[in-house]
Amino acid sequence: MFLYYLLFYYRSKMWILVLLCMLSLNITQAPVRGNSTQMYYATLIIDRSAINKTYNSLQKFKVKDSNVTISEIKMTTECKVQNDGTYSQKKCMCKPGYKWRDEVCSNTSHHDQEWCLHQPNSFPRCISISSVGVTGNIQLVVDGYKGCLTVKSSEAYQTCNDNVTKAIQREYSLIRGFDTLGSLEYSVGSVIVNFAMKFASAVESQNLFERSITLGRTMSGSLTLETTGFVSLKVPSYSVLYNSSASINCTTEENLNAEPKWTLKRKDGDFLITNGRISTVSIVPKHTKVTLNQVNEHWEGEYVCLFVQEKNGTTINHRANATMDVCLIPTIETSAEPTFPLCKRESDIFLVTVKCQIKKSSESYTVTWNSDATPKGSTEEGDTQTYSAEKLIDCKRTSNNGSGSPSVSCTFTNQCNQTQTQHVMVSVIYVGDKYCVGQGDWGHTKASFTAQIKCHKHAGARKRKCSHTGTWEKEVSECVEKKLYDVLESAKISDIGLGELSLNAATVFERFKNVTKTSTLPGYANLDTSVTVLTTMNEKLLNTSMTNQTAIDVSIKESETSLNDL
């Protein structure tokens, strides 16, 4: 059987037809009999007016060899050459049912059924939307393939490589649409054969699976394959609004008879997507979906939908992946320098620097300030980015809208035009106001206000109140060991649907136990945070049935013991 795919070009009055021929030979091999497929490409140049006649004639084309037949002819690509007198270029588009490979058409914005630009001497070709790619490896355990690990120029290598290539081609060419088998690569660990194949049309998964099992049995090896084209994944084509809902859909052309597995890949790791407080996974034949009811920074990344077929030492991973962008909204921490400007005369004027600090992220924010503040750019340090602005403040109470505390605000706007605003009140110590005189780390502080200093290398802040009479009270430290703070943050999101709750809980308890054993956690803040970790997890695990409940109970008891030792 021949399958012709036509690629039409026209230059002036002449058309160039590039034919992709799928040749099927009726062959016999023990113990199977079937059609072995080979792909051929040819170019025809014909008069433009003869295109319909030629196309109709090809439909009736016969082959004298009784073992070879032509099943159908299809047009895949249409092109035209344009010449403005100084520069020639070729414009091509795919016909319905076909698409560009990314490496063929790299226009910044194009669709398969729109024109794509190419070099005039190129012959681009669209591929079927049902085309399938396969990469994989065969782990061979017999001695007969050791020659494949020798030098490539050696006779032993060439003989071994030829035998392996023929064995793979012989089996997979029996699948309709078999196109190419790339160069083989070999590695140690017994003998591991790495290969890649392309199929020009749709492939039945069961056929691929059975051929792979047969190949593994023939070569006395185990196979692991990964496919593209069997599974389609669609994420929102736009950046998703923060705190909005979203759906990610995964479909297959046929029932793969395998349970789908969802994974989210982020810079900080890979996470199994399950049913949780934010995510819901639904499964019906040939369709699975993840529904998110509140999208935030935890859900930005690459989504992977995976179906795994396994039998007799052969594993096939049918995978599709796509990246979902989320418009992020930051948590803003503010500060002012000086925090409490001290007026000695009503004529005094201060230039106060206000800072808005956020964690670095993939979001590109537009930062604006209220009209009477002068932006001073941003600086980066570690995982934070700080934006600054200056504001002139005088010491006349009536100059500050009568409030006594002038305000500065910073507004962060994301790519989806969502905003987050934080206000900074500058508490001025006016002439005659009571205040606490600066002492050590603590600057002048207005009476009845509390001064704060960010903890060094810890989460939280140190606080010290200036009483209404203008005397310092004792410092209160809310500094929390960074590792313990991170454990609490993990506990808070353990049930959102990224990972199984039971496994997340076990991880939280294990980390908590390690922190309490390896770190000294003095102070009320660390004790309070430790209690919060346990109560948070207790609430999430309440009335939850889990398969490893015994292990969780042990972890809880060990964690409570660690807490008692603080």
Side-chain angles (χ1 to χ4, degrees):
M1 149 176 47
F2 274 107
L3 178 59
Y4 281 85
Y5 290 91
L6 301 188
L7 178 58
F8 286 88
Y9 294 88
Y10 64 83
R11 181 186 291 113
S12 185
K13 295 183 178 180
M14 301 299 293
W15 282 73
I16 304 173
L17 299 108
V18 180
L19 308 182
L20 167 60
C21 311
M22 184 169 73
L23 171 63
S24 291
L25 303 176
N26 193 8
I27 62 173
T28 303
Q29 45 183 331
V32 298
R33 177 183 175 88
N35 293 323
S36 179
T37 303
Q38 290 179 289
M39 308 300 295
Y40 291 92
Y41 300 87
T43 302
L44 297 180
I45 301 177
I46 62 173
D47 188 273
R48 182 176 178 180
S49 61
I51 182 63
N52 291 331
K53 183 177 181 180
T54 303
Y55 184 73
N56 292 333
S57 296
L58 288 173
Q59 297 281 4
K60 304 172 184 178
F61 189 73
K62 301 292 183 180
V63 181
K64 293 182 179 180
D65 191 337
S66 60
N67 290 323
V68 180
T69 59
I70 299 174
S71 63
E72 57 183 324
I73 299 174
K74 292 183 178 179
M75 185 188 303
T76 68
T77 315
E78 180 181 351
C79 295
K80 54 186 177 182
V81 178
Q82 293 184 332
N83 193 331
D84 60 6
T86 58
Y87 179 75
S88 296
Q89 63 180 4
K90 186 175 293 179
K91 295 176 65 175
C92 304
M93 76 161 66
C94 297
K95 290 298 185 181
Y98 295 86
K99 65 180 181 180
W100 291 112
R101 296 191 301 269
D102 289 338
E103 65 271 21
V104 172
C105 189
S106 57
N107 291 6
T108 55
S109 61
H110 77 274
H111 300 284
D112 294 326
Q113 274 66 61
E114 293 182 358
W115 295 109
C116 183
L117 301 180
H118 302 273
Q119 293 299 317
N121 59 346
S122 64
F123 290 94
R125 173 177 58 86
C126 297
I127 60 175
S128 170
I129 59 174
S130 302
S131 62
V132 171
V134 179
T135 59
N137 64 74
I138 310 173
Q139 187 165 345
L140 304 172
V141 295
V142 295
D143 295 335
Y145 299 100
K146 289 184 177 179
C148 290
L149 299 177
T150 59
V151 179
K152 289 187 177 182
S153 59
S154 67
E155 183 179 350
Y157 174 87
Q158 294 175 7
T159 301
C160 179
N161 180 66
D162 186 55
N163 290 336
V164 173
T165 301
K166 288 180 178 179
I168 297 175
Q169 287 179 329
R170 185 182 304 115
E171 196 59 50
Y172 288 119
S173 66
L174 295 175
I175 300 176
R176 185 179 184 275
F178 177 75
D179 190 353
T180 59
L181 171 65
S183 299
L184 307 184
E185 298 292 337
Y186 302 92
S187 56
V188 294
S190 66
V191 178
I192 300 176
V193 185
N194 300 292
F195 62 95
M197 302 181 296
K198 292 182 179 179
F199 294 85
S201 57
V203 174
E204 292 183 359
S205 63
Q206 192 59 34
N207 193 6
L208 178 65
F209 197 27
E210 291 173 356
R211 296 300 177 194
S212 300
I213 292 174
T214 301
L215 179 62
R217 185 166 55 244
T218 301
M219 301 185 71
S220 300
S222 58
L223 278 77
T224 301
L225 305 181
E226 184 162 313
T227 71
T228 57
F230 282 97
V231 182
S232 298
L233 183 62
K234 287 188 177 181
V235 300
S237 58
Y238 50 87
S239 294
V240 180
L241 291 173
Y242 195 85
N243 281 339
S244 67
S245 60
S247 295
I248 302 95
N249 290 275
C250 181
T251 58
T252 61
E253 291 297 322
E254 58 178 298
N255 192 341
L256 297 176
N257 298 312
E259 190 78 6
K261 176 183 176 182
W262 283 94
T263 305
L264 174 61
K265 300 180 71 173
R266 303 189 320 212
K267 291 181 179 180
D268 56 341
D270 297 352
F271 301 88
L272 178 69
I273 301 175
T274 62
N275 288 316
R277 177 163 46 91
I278 290 181
S279 63
T280 301
V281 179
S282 58
I283 303 172
V284 296
K286 300 193 291 185
H287 182 212
T288 176
K289 179 172 69 171
V290 171
T291 303
L292 306 175
N293 60 51
Q294 190 177 31
V295 177
N296 55 28
E297 62 274 7
H298 299 300
W299 298 96
E300 183 177 52
E302 180 185 354
Y303 286 78
V304 179
C305 177
L306 175 67
F307 293 81
V308 181
Q309 294 178 307
E310 292 182 285
K311 184 179 179 181
N312 297 340
T314 294
T315 301
I316 301 183
N317 298 312
H318 300 291
R319 183 189 307 267
N321 59 288
T323 298
M324 185 176 80
D325 293 323
V326 177
C327 286
L328 306 180
I329 289 181
T331 298
I332 307 171
E333 293 185 3
T334 60
S335 62
E337 298 176 2
T339 308
F340 300 95
L342 176 61
C343 297
K344 295 183 179 181
R345 298 177 297 274
E346 285 192 357
S347 59
D348 288 346
I349 297 176
F350 290 91
L351 187 62
V352 176
T353 300
V354 177
K355 296 181 179 181
C356 291
Q357 186 179 82
I358 64 172
K359 278 189 175 182
K360 290 180 185 176
S361 72
S362 59
E363 186 70 41
S364 179
Y365 294 106
T366 299
V367 181
T368 56
W369 301 81
N370 54 329
S371 58
D372 54 353
T374 304
K376 290 297 178 180
S378 66
T379 58
E380 297 182 4
E381 182 179 354
D383 64 346
T384 63
Q385 187 161 9
T386 303
Y387 295 83
S388 302
E390 293 179 341
K391 179 179 174 66
L392 281 174
I393 295 177
D394 64 35
C395 288
K396 297 179 181 179
R397 294 180 189 271
T398 56
S399 300
N400 297 306
N401 299 322
S403 66
S405 298
S407 174
V408 179
S409 63
C410 57
T411 299
F412 288 72
T413 305
N414 64 22
Q415 298 177 67
C416 295
N417 209 33
Q418 294 177 291
T419 61
Q420 181 82 333
T421 299
Q422 194 71 23
H423 299 278
V424 184
M425 303 299 294
V426 181
S427 300
V428 180
I429 305 174
Y430 293 101
V431 175
D433 286 346
K434 292 181 180 180
Y435 68 95
C436 293
V437 178
Q439 188 180 93
D441 294 339
W442 304 98
H444 302 312
T445 301
K446 194 171 184 175
S448 300
F449 283 77
T450 299
Q452 294 189 41
I453 299 176
K454 194 173 182 179
C455 299
H456 180 62
K457 294 183 179 181
H458 288 74
R462 297 162 55 198
K463 297 182 178 180
R464 194 176 186 187
K465 185 175 182 179
C466 177
S467 71
H468 70 283
T469 60
T471 56
W472 284 112
E473 296 183 3
K474 289 184 178 181
E475 175 184 335
V476 176
S477 174
E478 295 181 359
C479 297
V480 177
E481 183 77 23
K482 186 65 169 63
K483 290 182 179 179
L484 180 59
Y485 176 82
D486 290 341
V487 171
L488 176 57
E489 292 301 298
S490 297
K492 291 177 180 178
I493 63 171
S494 60
D495 63 340
I496 65 174
L498 289 177
E500 295 284 356
L501 174 58
S502 59
L503 298 178
N504 290 344
T507 300
V508 168
F509 288 128
E510 183 65 23
R511 289 174 60 195
F512 177 76
K513 182 177 65 175
N514 291 337
V515 169
T516 55
K517 283 186 176 181
T518 59
S519 303
T520 57
L521 303 174
Y524 171 79
N526 281 312
L527 179 60
D528 182 62
T529 302
S530 299
V531 171
T532 304
V533 169
L534 296 181
T535 55
T536 298
M537 292 310 305
N538 182 64
E539 291 173 0
K540 295 185 183 300
L541 295 173
L542 193 65
N543 299 323
T544 301
S545 177
M546 293 177 291
T547 56
N548 58 345
Q549 186 64 49
T550 302
I552 295 294
D553 292 340
V554 172
S555 295
I556 293 176
K557 290 181 180 179
E558 291 180 346
S559 299
E560 290 174 342
T561 301
S562 300
L563 183 60
N564 292 330
D565 293 338
L566 293 179

